[in-house]
């Protein structure tokens, strides 16, 4: 099975293109082995590309634990760069069908090479019942959650996939691996949740670290960066357009006032083409 290794700010994926309907059962079962960083290729997940009846290309994201997620911003930028350079005939504006619907994509180029990718990540979902989250009311803003004797204040946002955004004093130094797992699996979130630990420096600048649902600690989370700015607006911490600093670089997030959609702009990179020889 051929694949292409790519990453978006260090959030890395095996991209697998198939001209027919993918065998998601098989790929989900193979994901933990393929994504293992010692006995497999090593990746945070698998991005499956295949023909779409409603968009230029379809993609689905499989986490390294084999679970299929509704959305993945970094993988979508990788899919966009792959499609632009290998399948589209260098079209710089096209659409990608994901689990949440058809998402417009714009490619910024230098000498025919995609340097930045801008994606319409759609409108955020704020109602707890649709995140989903067991909480009354129409929003989950600055709620308190207690785990292992520690209380956290969070704001919950879905970008199609669930996110719990927690403001902390120093996100870059926060013990993500200690608190991420217990928050990811908190019973308040029936489908589990991604957990973002953020420090809001100014209305236009945020630092974020993430523990991802189904993948653990990753270097970046595109949908999480979107959720971080939405939570920042809801809590009065950020403007609608802000830069999210991640260990390997920045994402520009714009929660557009006119259409209510969240736009994410950032890089994507090829690493190598390979062949999976496993079962
Ligand atoms: N682990 C996530 C999917 C990948 C999201 C992340 N890598 C991104 O860039 O948005 C979930 O289960 O919702």
């Amino acid at each position: 099975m051929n694949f292409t290794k790519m990453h978006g700010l260090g959030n890395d994926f095996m991209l697998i293109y198939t001209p027919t309907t993918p065998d998601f059962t098989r790929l989900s079962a193979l994901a933990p082995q393929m994504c293992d960083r010692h006995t497999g290729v090593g990746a945070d997940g698998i991005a499956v590309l295949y023909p779409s009846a409603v968009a230029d290309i379809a993609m689905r994201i499989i986490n390294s634990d084999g679970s299929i997620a509704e959305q993945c911003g970094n993988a979508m930028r990788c899919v966009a760069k792959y499609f632009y350079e290998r399948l589209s005939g260098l079209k710089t504006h096209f659409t990608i069908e994901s689990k949440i619907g058809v998402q417009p994509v714009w490619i910024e180029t230098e000498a025919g090479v995609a340097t930045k990718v801008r994606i319409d990540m759609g409108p955020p979902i704020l109602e707890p019942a649709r995140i989903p989250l067991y909480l009354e009311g129409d929003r989950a803003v600055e709620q308190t959650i207690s785990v292992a004797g520690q209380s956290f204040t969070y704001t919950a946002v879905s970008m199609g996939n669930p996110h719990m955004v927690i403001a902390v004093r120093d996100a870059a130094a926060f013990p993500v691996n200690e608190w991420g797992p217990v928050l990811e699996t908190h019973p308040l979130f029936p489908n589990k949740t991604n957990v973002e630990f953020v420090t809001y420096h100014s209305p236009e600048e945020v630092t974020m670290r993430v523990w991802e649902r189904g993948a653990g600690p990753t270097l970046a989370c595109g949908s999480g960066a979107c959720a971080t700015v939405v939570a920042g607006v809801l809590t009065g911490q950020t403007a609608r357009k802000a830069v999210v600093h991640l260990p390997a670089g920045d994402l520009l997030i714009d929660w557009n006032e006119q259409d209510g959609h969240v736009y994410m702009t950032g890089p994507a990179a090829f690493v190598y083409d390979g062949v999976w020889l496993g079962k």
Side-chain angles (χ1 to χ4, degrees), residues 22-259:
D23 180 348
F24 288 110
T25 304
R26 178 168 176 254
L27 289 169
S28 287
L30 277 174
Q33 189 187 346
M34 287 177 141
C35 296
D36 188 284
R37 295 194 185 279
H38 299 287
T39 60
V41 170
D44 291 325
I46 300 169
V48 189
L49 294 76
Y50 56 101
S52 166
V54 296
D56 291 292
I57 189 79
M59 69 89 77
R60 290 291 185 273
I61 177 72
I62 303 172
N63 285 312
S64 54
D65 73 349
S67 59
I68 294 182
E70 306 83 348
Q71 175 67 277
C72 181
N74 288 322
M76 192 163 273
R77 293 200 315 279
C78 293
V79 166
K81 181 176 173 84
Y82 181 102
F83 180 76
Y84 165 72
E85 293 191 15
R86 299 192 177 183
L87 298 174
S88 81
L90 300 185
K91 251 170 55 172
T92 55
H93 177 43
F94 48 87
T95 56
I96 300 177
E97 177 203 338
S98 70
K99 216 171 175 184
I100 69 160
V102 176
Q103 297 181 241
V105 175
W106 296 264
I107 301 285
E108 295 173 17
T109 66
E110 276 165 29
V113 173
T115 53
K116 281 270 177 31
V117 182
R118 181 169 183 260
I119 295 183
D120 177 351
M121 295 290 283
I125 297 164
L126 304 177
E127 302 86 342
R130 294 177 58 212
I131 290 179
L133 161 64
Y134 292 133
L135 189 79
E136 296 302 316
D138 61 357
R139 290 185 174 186
V141 177
E142 294 186 318
Q143 298 294 313
T144 301
I145 192 167
S146 294
V147 281
Q150 173 79 35
S151 284
F152 294 95
T153 300
Y154 72 90
T155 294
V157 176
S158 168
M159 293 306 301
N161 58 346
H163 295 273
M164 178 198 292
V165 181
I166 297 173
V168 296
R169 192 181 49 77
D170 181 359
F174 189 83
V176 171
N177 292 10
E178 178 184 348
W179 294 105
V182 285
L183 290 164
E184 172 198 358
T185 57
H186 195 284
L188 267 178
F189 289 84
N191 295 350
K192 302 196 288 184
T193 185
N194 299 284
V195 191
E196 285 79 20
F197 302 98
V198 305
T199 299
Y200 294 105
H201 304 291
S202 78
E204 287 82 24
E205 267 201 278
V206 190
T207 292
M208 184 192 106
R209 294 293 180 273
V210 64
W211 176 273
E212 283 198 36
R213 176 183 65 169
T218 64
L219 284 176
C221 180
S223 54
C226 296
T228 292
V229 173
V230 169
V233 172
L234 295 174
T235 56
Q237 297 291 327
T238 68
R240 299 181 75 94
K241 186 180 279 190
V243 173
V244 178
H245 298 305
L246 296 147
D250 296 342
L251 286 174
L252 175 62
I253 307 297
D254 174 9
W255 185 11
N256 188 280
E257 190 112 43
Q258 279 64 47
D259 63 10

